[in-house]
Amino acid sequence: MKNQHLIEVLESVKKRDSDQPEFIQAVTEVFESLDPVADARPDLIEAGVFERIVEPERQIIFRVPWVDDNGKVQVNRGFRVQFNSAIGPYKGGLRLHPSVYLGIIKFLGFEQIFKNSLTTLPMGGGKGGSDFDPKGKSDAEVMRFCQSFMTELSKHIGPDTDVPAGDIGTGAREVAYMFGQYKRLRNEFSGVLTGKGLTFGGSLARTEATGYGLCYFCNEMLKANGKSFEGQTVCISGSGNVAIYAVEKATALGAKVITMSDSNGYIVDKNGIDLDCVKQLKEVERKRIKEYVSTHPDAEYHEGCAGVWSTPCDIALPCATQNEIDEASAKALAANGCYCVCEGANMPSTPEAIEVYFANNMLYGPAKAANAGGVAVSGLEMSQNSMRYGWTFEEVDGRLQTIMKDIFASCDSAAKEFGLEGNYMAGANIAGFLKVAEAMKAQGCV
Ligand code: NDP
Ligand code: 2IT
């Protein structure tokens, strides 16, 4: 990075938020991509856009007390970071995982600004969550937690203000409990959350959207480079919402997916993953991925989730969590012939891993573009709620395909415009940024 203004703003972020390494990582990547933009656009520097965009408009941190099944009081910490509303109401998921702290929510909220901009829909960036761990809790405990969480969150959100959704640990069950509590507190049936159940305002294809969208984006990137999913061997990590529907669509597009994982370990099925079995284990029984091998004797289970990247493949789709591919894993992928990494999870590659992709001329589809299908269909759910109407699965899926194609095209053309052809990471950061920056400049110093 050479632009002096960007260097200074980044230094101040590093100093002010020195206890938030994931946030610093996300800002550094974006600012490195924006180097040529800052040189070409002194007006954006003049308008203070770079200083303003790294500081959330509002951060809410709150106590979430709830009573467990033994009658004991438990206390978690809740977060909502309302990062940027220049182009629409704050929009972004809620993560429920013990690793959640302010730095995780801020990195996710920052990424969400640019991702939401890329979708072309009018959504600002936000993110929230809690260090609550839904794993091993009863439905009643999860409900009491969600009700307590929403009791405070309801004071800060609304269909035209801030619209939360799912993320790690927050699926259909959690969104439904939170929606019920919001409705009760406000006496208002509105589109305040997305990812709702189909009987109360949810959109068809929202469940599938992130995984399907990832494959639509990846397919565009492959096509632009003379390749396709047909006959390719694919490694996918994770076994949650994003991973499951990435397996489904990659398989439908002619690939063979041979791995899935969770935080304990990974499975390799050379015959191709039996997705009905995974859906039953994960979506219905909430069991560990290890159980897969008890009904699939040809498949292997290995302890430790990082090992999944040592499995030879053509295409890797990380769909679990941040920094799951480090330099060593990226080198293992490259050495085994993998030529394409496309990100379903948010920030799954470390900066060193990304360097390995570029050094090996691999195709690299960055998260904020490749996984934008989830929030895009959330945006379509908001539209349907506003219209008090619902589209068919085919209608929503068709719009999702168009959006993902357009996102790839804008990443591709922004990269070309700044002399960085084929660098879709820079393209995504630049294209996502410019729309928000123009809106921030036009609205003045707010
Ligand atoms: P889920 O909770 O449905 O699944 C998460 C999966 O990732 C699980 O298999 C989980 O394993 C694994 N995982 C979580 N944390 C870790 C960890 N620290 N180390 C290893 N594995 C881990 O979440 P989603 O599928 O919704 O989210 C996956 C990723 O996709 C996240 O990065 C999320 O931010 C991103 N994303 C999600 C979108 C959505 O619409 N849901 C949209 C865009 C991005 P285990 O069960 O062992 O914890
Ligand atoms: O990271 C993400 O884009 C999400 N978790 C989905 C957010 C949303 O509002 O649907």
Side-chain angles (χ1 to χ4, degrees):
M1 195 160 52
K2 295 193 202 70
N3 184 280
Q4 198 52 39
H5 181 69
L6 288 188
I7 291 172
E8 281 164 21
V9 177
L10 183 59
E11 275 316 306
S12 81
V13 170
K14 284 182 178 167
K15 207 165 143 197
R16 206 179 338 185
D17 298 322
S18 58
D19 53 346
Q20 299 167 10
E22 296 85 1
F23 177 57
I24 293 171
Q25 182 183 337
V27 175
T28 303
E29 184 209 286
V30 170
F31 271 31
E32 280 173 355
S33 296
L34 294 180
D35 211 17
V37 179
D39 286 347
R41 295 293 304 271
D43 59 313
L44 297 180
I45 295 178
E46 183 70 22
V49 166
F50 297 96
E51 289 103 320
R52 287 191 283 144
I53 209 163
V54 294
E55 187 65 17
E57 290 175 16
R58 193 174 296 105
Q59 316 185 45
I60 302 141
I61 304 182
F62 50 98
R63 180 170 70 193
V64 189
W66 56 280
V67 178
D68 71 17
D69 286 347
N70 298 318
K72 190 169 176 302
V73 173
Q74 302 284 342
V75 178
N76 286 99
R77 186 169 289 175
F79 301 88
R80 186 70 183 168
V81 172
Q82 298 180 330
F83 222 117
N84 193 299
S85 62
I87 64 167
Y90 310 107
K91 180 83 196 87
L94 297 169
R95 178 173 293 191
L96 299 181
H97 193 272
S99 62
V100 164
Y101 78 106
L102 186 59
I104 293 280
I105 300 302
K106 278 182 65 186
F107 114 66
L108 290 163
F110 184 71
E111 293 276 293
Q112 201 82 42
I113 302 169
F114 309 102
K115 181 194 308 194
N116 293 2
S117 164
L118 285 168
T119 65
T120 71
L121 302 175
M123 299 181 289
K127 200 85 187 190
S130 174
D131 57 3
F132 173 78
D133 187 357
K135 246 181 260 153
K137 305 286 193 300
S138 68
D139 285 351
E141 288 177 319
V142 170
M143 181 181 77
R144 289 194 292 272
F145 167 82
C146 289
Q147 291 181 338
S148 178
F149 182 81
M150 183 51 83
T151 300
E152 179 58 31
L153 189 67
S154 66
K155 299 168 188 165
H156 310 284
I157 63 175
D160 297 315
T161 308
D162 183 356
V163 182
D167 192 77
I168 290 177
T170 306
R173 175 182 61 172
E174 291 75 17
V175 168
Y177 288 148
M178 290 182 196
F179 179 79
Q181 181 73 349
Y182 182 89
K183 184 166 61 62
R184 179 165 69 155
L185 289 166
R186 302 285 279 256
N187 193 24
E188 174 185 301
F189 192 109
S190 69
V192 69
L193 288 154
T194 59
K196 299 183 292 298
L198 295 176
T199 53
F200 51 96
S203 173
L204 286 161
R206 176 61 188 88
T207 305
E208 294 82 357
T210 313
Y212 278 22
L214 168 67
C215 293
Y216 296 147
F217 180 94
C218 190
N219 200 32
E220 288 301 306
M221 181 167 73
L222 291 169
K223 272 199 301 191
N225 290 277
K227 298 193 169 358
S228 82
F229 268 115
E230 194 63 50
Q232 304 299 285
T233 299
V234 175
C235 278
I236 290 183
S237 63
S239 47
N241 173 261
V242 180
I244 286 173
Y245 292 94
V247 173
E248 187 163 287
K249 187 52 74 177
T251 307
L253 291 169
K256 182 155 89 172
V257 181
I258 59 168
T259 66
M260 292 188 87
S261 67
D262 59 24
S263 54
N264 295 112
Y266 67 99
I267 54 165
V268 182
D269 190 340
K270 291 264 153 59
N271 301 319
I273 296 287
D274 170 3
L275 197 58
D276 287 341
C277 169
V278 175
K279 282 184 179 173
Q280 177 65 25
L281 283 174
K282 288 290 177 178
E283 295 184 334
V284 183
E285 298 170 16
R286 297 184 188 272
K287 286 192 174 152
R288 309 304 297 163
I289 199 67
K290 184 182 188 171
E291 302 291 329
Y292 182 92
V293 295
S294 60
T295 50
H296 293 75
D298 288 352
E300 301 161 17
Y301 175 77
H302 302 273
E303 288 289 339
C305 46
V308 68
W309 308 120
S310 63
T311 315
C313 64
D314 303 305
I315 297 168
L317 305 177
C319 295
T321 194
Q322 66 275 354
N323 292 328
E324 58 172 308
I325 305 185
D326 63 6
E327 184 178 13
S329 295
K331 283 184 170 161
L333 283 168
N336 284 325
C338 172
Y339 64 83
C340 172
V341 178
C342 203
E343 299 178 333
N346 284 307
M347 206 170 75
S349 307
T350 65
E352 296 77 20
I354 296 171
E355 278 177 32
V356 173
Y357 307 154
F358 286 123
N360 287 276
N361 290 316
M362 290 159 78
L363 296 175
Y364 171 48
K368 59 174 75 66
N371 75 25
V375 75
V377 172
S378 279
L380 300 178
E381 184 171 327
M382 290 166 72
S383 304
Q384 294 170 82
N385 291 164
S386 297
M387 290 190 292
R388 307 225 184 279
Y389 190 68
W391 291 319
T392 62
F393 187 96
E394 290 69 29
E395 171 80 36
V396 179
D397 187 41
R399 286 176 188 262
L400 172 63
Q401 291 185 43
T402 306
I403 288 171
M404 298 315 295
K405 265 188 193 168
D406 291 348
I407 292 176
F408 176 76
S410 48
C411 296
D412 191 31
S413 66
K416 283 178 181 149
E417 190 184 328
F418 285 88
L420 297 161
E421 183 162 358
N423 184 342
Y424 307 119
M425 174 183 76
N429 288 330
I430 294 169
F433 168 79
L434 279 173
K435 179 179 173 188
V436 178
E438 301 293 3
M440 289 174 73
K441 183 186 159 194
Q443 290 169 28
C445 185
V446 291

